[in-house]
Amino acid sequence: MSTPEPAVGLALPVSDPELEQRLKSRLALVEKALAGHVRSRAPFVTAAAAHLLEAGGKRFRPLLVLLAAECGDRADSDDVLTAACVVELTHLASLYHDDVMDEAVVRRGADSANARWDNHIAILTGDFLFARSSELTAELGPDAVHIQAKAFARLVEGQIMETQAPLAGDDPVAHHLDVIAGKTGILIATSARYGAMFGGASKEVEEALTAYGDIVGAAFQISDDILDIASDADVSGKTPGTDLREGVPTLPVLMARRSATDADARLLELLDSDLSASDDDLAEALTLLRAHPAMEEARAYVRGEARRAKECLAPLPAGPVRDAFEAFADIMASRTA
């Protein structure tokens, strides 16, 4: 079966027209609700909180909530829409904090909040959005509060771990995967879990989709790691080597370091240098990495994770919802080729 391309306006591949239309309609309701949830009694706070929301985004997490809810008999419930807002507000809040940590100046094609205002405003705006997310979670009941609190703690833990080098004797690759599981995987897993919970799916399906979300969330980030090295700017629209230039560790680089031999001396020299200082050195590093066995090792890891994610879907009945989840895993695996 060929893998369908994502439908226009949706960040997930959906081949069934009726399912696609339902998701688009409900996502429009989520978008409208989000615009209300970022409002404050203070106009300046509203402007700051709406800044990244209005800059756009794929809305992948709320869409995953809506799709997972299709596994139950309450897919159109108000709680599902509220849960979709919870995960997107949490994600948006984390972006404000990420941009401060990364000293980013652009986010989603617009000035980052810290660049437009300052770090204090960006941090406090992120806190405001986390608070809004918590308010909505409380409306969903104590189980949702417990899940959200654990997810939030794991997300922040991942952000903190990203700033720290692995301890002596620890595997840098394992450290990196643990960071990604916290920063990205946990909120994707929570999105799938909330959708199943509040959509009325069985406990078995809820657990299956939570495991699926945990795997694909982390693996999709790793596929971005690979594309940062392998992509052609004319094809992907992304500038290759951005992470290398900024000194951000990625899975292919860490795997290349782990398996380096004497023949990789020049590559290691480049990786240890300031690649932001020389376009020629950056281009050479990209060339060497693209030819390195670590690239195929990283791709094989993502393909394996895609297979593992699809295996989690066994409890879901056959149909367009399961097809969409499987197709996303396939896209995740194939986009690194």
Side-chain angles (χ1 to χ4, degrees):
M1 182 180 71
S2 62
T3 300
E5 289 299 315
V8 175
L10 295 181
L12 282 168
V14 178
S15 59
D16 181 78
E18 292 184 4
L19 174 60
E20 177 188 339
Q21 188 54 51
R22 288 199 302 273
L23 293 174
K24 284 185 175 180
S25 297
R26 290 170 188 158
L27 195 59
L29 295 176
V30 172
E31 197 71 33
K32 182 177 180 180
L34 286 168
H37 293 317
V38 299
R39 291 195 189 105
S40 162
R41 61 187 180 85
F44 177 78
V45 176
T46 299
H51 180 62
L52 288 186
L53 180 68
E54 293 172 352
K58 296 177 181 178
R59 305 290 187 257
F60 174 69
R61 290 155 188 81
L63 179 57
L64 191 58
V65 173
L66 301 178
L67 181 61
E70 290 280 338
C71 293
D73 57 4
R74 299 194 302 273
D76 58 352
S77 75
D78 289 343
D79 282 351
V80 169
L81 297 179
T82 298
C85 291
V86 164
V87 294
E88 185 65 7
L89 289 172
T90 302
H91 174 58
L92 283 170
S94 72
L95 297 183
Y96 281 81
H97 288 183
D98 268 352
D99 286 345
V100 172
M101 293 173 66
D102 297 340
E103 299 180 351
V105 296
V106 175
R107 168 72 70 173
R108 294 177 173 175
D111 291 342
S112 63
N114 46 298
R116 180 167 180 175
W117 293 288
D118 58 35
N119 284 347
H120 294 95
I121 295 299
I123 291 170
L124 291 171
T125 302
D127 291 346
F128 174 78
L129 291 172
F130 278 130
R132 279 285 192 253
S133 178
S134 297
E135 284 184 276
L136 290 176
T137 307
E139 295 178 11
L140 295 173
D143 287 345
V145 170
H146 181 66
I147 292 167
Q148 175 72 356
K150 289 183 69 174
F152 184 32
R154 186 72 179 88
L155 188 155
V156 175
E157 183 182 61
Q159 288 179 311
I160 295 171
M161 287 175 61
E162 187 179 35
T163 69
Q164 303 298 306
L167 297 175
D170 286 351
D171 179 8
V173 170
H175 176 84
H176 181 67
L177 294 175
D178 198 21
V179 167
I180 290 176
K183 283 198 62 180
T184 305
I186 188 61
L187 195 54
I188 300 295
T190 300
S191 300
R193 184 175 187 180
Y194 272 169
M197 277 179 64
F198 297 110
S202 68
K203 191 67 177 178
E204 182 184 22
V205 168
E206 177 190 328
E207 291 174 354
L209 287 175
T210 302
Y212 170 91
D214 192 43
I215 295 168
V216 299
F220 198 77
Q221 179 59 55
I222 294 166
S223 69
D224 272 352
D225 284 2
I226 298 169
L227 286 174
D228 183 66
I229 297 167
S231 66
D232 182 328
D234 292 336
V235 176
S236 69
K238 298 180 179 180
T239 302
T242 299
D243 289 335
L244 276 178
R245 187 185 295 276
E246 296 175 357
V248 177
T250 60
L251 188 65
V253 170
L254 293 171
M255 285 179 165
R257 286 185 178 277
R258 184 172 66 180
S259 62
T261 65
D262 291 344
D264 298 313
R266 176 55 180 165
L267 174 59
L268 294 178
E269 179 185 357
L270 289 166
L271 293 177
D272 290 336
S273 69
D274 179 8
L275 291 174
S276 67
S278 170
D279 289 342
D280 289 342
D281 284 352
L282 178 64
E284 184 182 359
L286 284 170
T287 299
L288 292 172
L289 278 169
R290 287 167 179 166
H292 198 280
M295 289 296 288
E296 178 52 33
E297 184 183 1
R299 289 187 177 105
Y301 177 85
V302 173
R303 290 194 297 268
E305 290 298 274
R307 288 192 297 270
R308 195 160 69 93
K310 290 169 69 174
E311 289 169 0
C312 293
L313 299 173
L316 274 67
V321 174
R322 179 168 170 171
D323 288 347
F325 282 120
E326 289 184 342
F328 177 67
D330 289 337
I331 287 174
M332 177 183 68
S334 64
R335 74 196 286 258
T336 63

